[in-house]
Amino acid sequence: MRLSESFFVAAAAAVYGVGAVPGPTLESRQSGAAVNVDLSKTYQTMDGFGFSLAFQRANLITNMSDKEKQRELLDLLFNRTSGAGFSIIRNGIGSTPNSNSDFMNTFAPKNPGSPTATPVYEWDGKDSGQLWVTQQGVKDYGLKTVYGNAWSAPGYMKTNNRDTNGGTLCGVPGATCSSGDWRQAYANYLAAYVKFYAEAGVTVTHLGFLNEPDYTASYASMQSNGNQAANFVPILYDTLQAQNLTSTGINCCESMNFGNNVNMFNAIKSAGHEAKLKAVTSHTYASGASTVNTKVPVWLSEQCDLNGQWSTAWYSNGGAGDGLTWANNIYSAVVNNNIGGYLYWEGVQWPNPNTNEKIIRVDNKTNTYEVAKRLWAFANWSRYVRPGAVRVGANSPSGVRVAAFRNTDGTVAVVAISTGSGATNVSIKVAGAETTAAAAADSVEAYVSDNTRNCAATTASVAADGTVSGSVPGRGIVTFVIPPAGKKALEGVA
């Protein structure tokens, strides 16, 4: 969501890097709150965690003159050792004829005259700074999930003849325009965007044609209901297929209201087009998330604290911008609503407005930045719960909230969040993954974030029966990374 400048403010303050790395120890079994992980009980597959750099926020990184600081910012976002290890980036596809203010410029600013006329594309090779950042993510950090999301079609394709203030795509049900039916032209426009990125060495894996279709904004915005979205999905799908862009899938529908998004998805499903979607994507600014009846991955694709003053705190009486609050927000979405992709709004933003819609506050005038503890809350998830991980069964004993995942490399990540002010000792047993304690002691890892630590290595012990034990500090989060039990032990486990 992009609101007026007076509505914004950002968050940040953190230490760059991690502390010393204490190793696991081999001990007799410790007593503690028992966490039982069941690899045979499976839930959703994770696509990952991410952020956006839409509305020229990417330029804060791309145009930073201090190249050392520039690399530090990239590390903070993508590095799995010193940063959050984000695995999804959401880029805005421009629709505005110019780059005034923080608008995202279109690469088709001139009306070709009719929907069937040959468009004149003017690709600048920058995409509001987003292309360069994405290239670095792909090349240097192994980023694989790139989401291109349009806030609006170019204005001449819409009922209001402008890319701002709502309006509807000409040609969808209920939107007749004297200029003609622009649905195919818009699908071609989106496909062209994917091709421009491909020419630059980046595969756009997910493509969205709407953003907050239930909200009319003074910036780029376009309205749609479920029937209209269901009408356009097969057109865009067939266009991608016909142009051999089969690595790119469609996301929909980015509503402000999660309930509205469910209604729009159900319209697409009822029209027989559910399988044409790669992900169901929504925001929760107007209503909370719920479980969606679909086999398609569900993402919360834009989340943030829009109202709170910029805060870098981990815990400040449960504030909406606190790091601990966001560790718990992620837990609730992933465990209670089977969310497979979780994205914060802006990864970086300038100091003004001074809200928590960003994770890192960047001032290019002084070449300085400040990191919110929210980044480290994400790090405890994103570094260790990697794309393709499957959520598995795990109980939450008194004192902690627990989620467990089996990664594609066989490692098991167990995320434990304190529910109180006191420390809780936990003992983790992974059913169906017996291994020797000596082998586990060599490679079990644990990482903690709290008021004083930023996803820093902490101690975990391994008992003779392979039980992993550790302490979760009050108002903290610890992620335990348990090595594969061996091929034989994992055979037959779903």
Side-chain angles (χ1 to χ4, degrees):
M1 185 178 195
R2 177 200 175 271
L3 301 179
S4 61
E5 291 302 316
S6 61
F7 196 85
F8 289 141
V9 175
V15 178
Y16 179 74
V18 296
V21 181
T25 60
L26 179 59
E27 299 179 358
S28 60
R29 182 169 184 168
Q30 295 183 357
S31 61
V35 175
N36 297 303
V37 177
D38 185 355
L39 298 181
S40 68
K41 192 171 186 178
T42 60
Y43 300 93
Q44 78 272 30
T45 298
M46 301 299 298
D47 286 325
F49 303 86
F51 63 95
S52 179
L53 291 176
F55 290 97
Q56 299 191 44
R57 272 57 169 177
N59 281 326
L60 289 169
I61 301 175
T62 300
N63 297 335
M64 177 163 270
S65 59
D66 186 324
K67 299 309 176 185
E68 183 177 344
K69 294 287 181 62
Q70 182 185 61
R71 177 54 57 179
E72 289 174 4
L73 288 170
L74 290 169
D75 279 343
L76 281 164
L77 293 170
F78 295 116
N79 197 299
R80 291 183 62 192
T81 301
S82 60
F86 284 124
S87 53
I88 303 174
I89 189 168
R90 175 179 174 235
N91 293 329
I93 301 176
S95 57
T96 307
N98 58 65
S99 298
N100 296 341
S101 184
D102 60 354
F103 296 156
M104 300 180 289
N105 61 289
T106 175
F107 56 86
K110 299 175 183 177
N111 186 340
S114 75
T116 57
T118 302
V120 178
Y121 294 145
E122 302 174 5
W123 180 250
D124 63 7
K126 298 178 181 179
D127 196 29
S128 299
Q130 297 171 121
L131 178 58
W132 186 84
V133 174
T134 305
Q135 287 175 316
Q136 306 313 301
V138 171
K139 176 173 64 74
D140 296 337
Y141 303 95
L143 177 70
K144 291 182 173 60
T145 304
V146 178
Y147 177 19
N149 190 190
W151 265 241
S152 172
Y156 52 80
M157 298 184 184
K158 296 169 57 185
T159 55
N160 64 345
N161 203 37
R162 58 196 302 181
D163 77 304
T164 59
N165 297 101
T168 307
L169 179 65
C170 295
V172 297
T176 302
C177 302
S178 59
S179 60
D181 180 348
W182 288 86
R183 291 175 299 169
Q184 186 60 58
Y186 184 39
N188 292 340
Y189 177 79
L190 295 172
Y193 178 88
V194 174
K195 289 181 178 179
F196 285 130
Y197 262 69
E199 291 169 0
V202 175
T203 299
V204 175
T205 57
H206 296 71
L207 184 64
F209 61 96
L210 293 170
N211 177 75
E212 296 179 350
D214 51 346
Y215 180 71
T216 298
S218 60
Y219 48 88
S221 56
M222 185 167 74
Q223 295 177 327
S224 177
N225 59 38
N227 290 331
Q228 291 167 336
N231 177 264
F232 183 71
V233 165
I235 296 173
L236 179 56
Y237 180 86
D238 289 346
T239 300
L240 295 173
Q241 296 294 308
Q243 298 188 29
N244 200 32
L245 300 174
T246 54
S247 296
T248 303
I250 301 171
N251 286 4
C252 195
C253 298
E254 299 289 336
S255 296
M256 280 191 69
N257 185 310
F258 194 91
N260 181 73
N261 208 79
V262 173
N263 291 337
M264 292 186 72
F265 164 71
N266 285 338
I268 294 170
K269 185 177 181 179
S270 296
H273 302 311
E274 178 182 14
K276 293 182 174 67
L277 297 181
K278 195 167 186 176
V280 176
T281 52
S282 183
H283 312 169
T284 57
Y285 294 122
S287 70
S290 60
T291 301
V292 182
N293 182 21
T294 179
K295 295 180 180 179
V296 178
V298 179
W299 293 7
L300 293 187
S301 49
E302 183 182 316
Q303 310 295 302
C304 74
D305 169 27
L306 286 169
N307 298 310
Q309 292 293 294
W310 169 249
S311 170
T312 61
W314 175 259
Y315 177 78
S316 178
N317 297 315
D322 288 358
L324 180 59
T325 297
W326 284 91
N328 279 299
N329 288 346
I330 297 169
Y331 176 93
S332 295
V334 171
V335 175
N336 297 338
N337 301 123
N338 292 326
I339 298 300
Y342 196 102
L343 287 71
Y344 204 80
W345 174 210
E346 297 287 14
V348 303
Q349 186 174 288
W350 35 84
N352 186 28
N354 194 39
T355 63
N356 288 324
E357 64 168 329
K358 51 191 167 280
I359 298 177
I360 306 174
R361 183 169 66 178
V362 179
D363 189 343
N364 268 1
K365 294 180 181 178
T366 59
N367 281 326
T368 59
Y369 63 83
E370 200 175 17
V371 184
K373 281 280 196 174
R374 293 184 294 282
L375 183 136
W376 304 111
F378 270 92
N380 267 83
W381 292 91
S382 190
R383 280 195 199 175
Y384 314 111
V385 181
R386 301 303 297 168
V390 176
R391 186 166 72 87
V392 296
N395 66 302
S396 293
S398 178
V400 288
R401 307 173 84 190
V402 177
F405 307 82
R406 192 179 71 172
N407 285 297
T408 58
D409 64 359
T411 57
V412 175
V414 180
V415 182
I417 306 173
S418 169
T419 59
S421 59
T424 300
N425 293 326
V426 294
S427 296
I428 303 168
K429 185 68 173 176
V430 182
E434 301 298 334
T435 187
T436 65
D442 286 337
S443 51
V444 167
E445 300 171 355
Y447 300 90
V448 59
S449 292
D450 58 12
N451 276 323
T452 61
R453 292 170 289 187
N454 300 327
C455 206
T458 188
T459 301
S461 63
V462 184
D465 66 351
T467 298
V468 175
S469 297
S471 180
V472 181
R475 300 189 177 113
I477 179 174
V478 176
T479 304
F480 299 89
V481 183
I482 303 169
K487 183 176 180 181
K488 181 177 180 180
L490 291 176
E491 285 178 354
V493 177

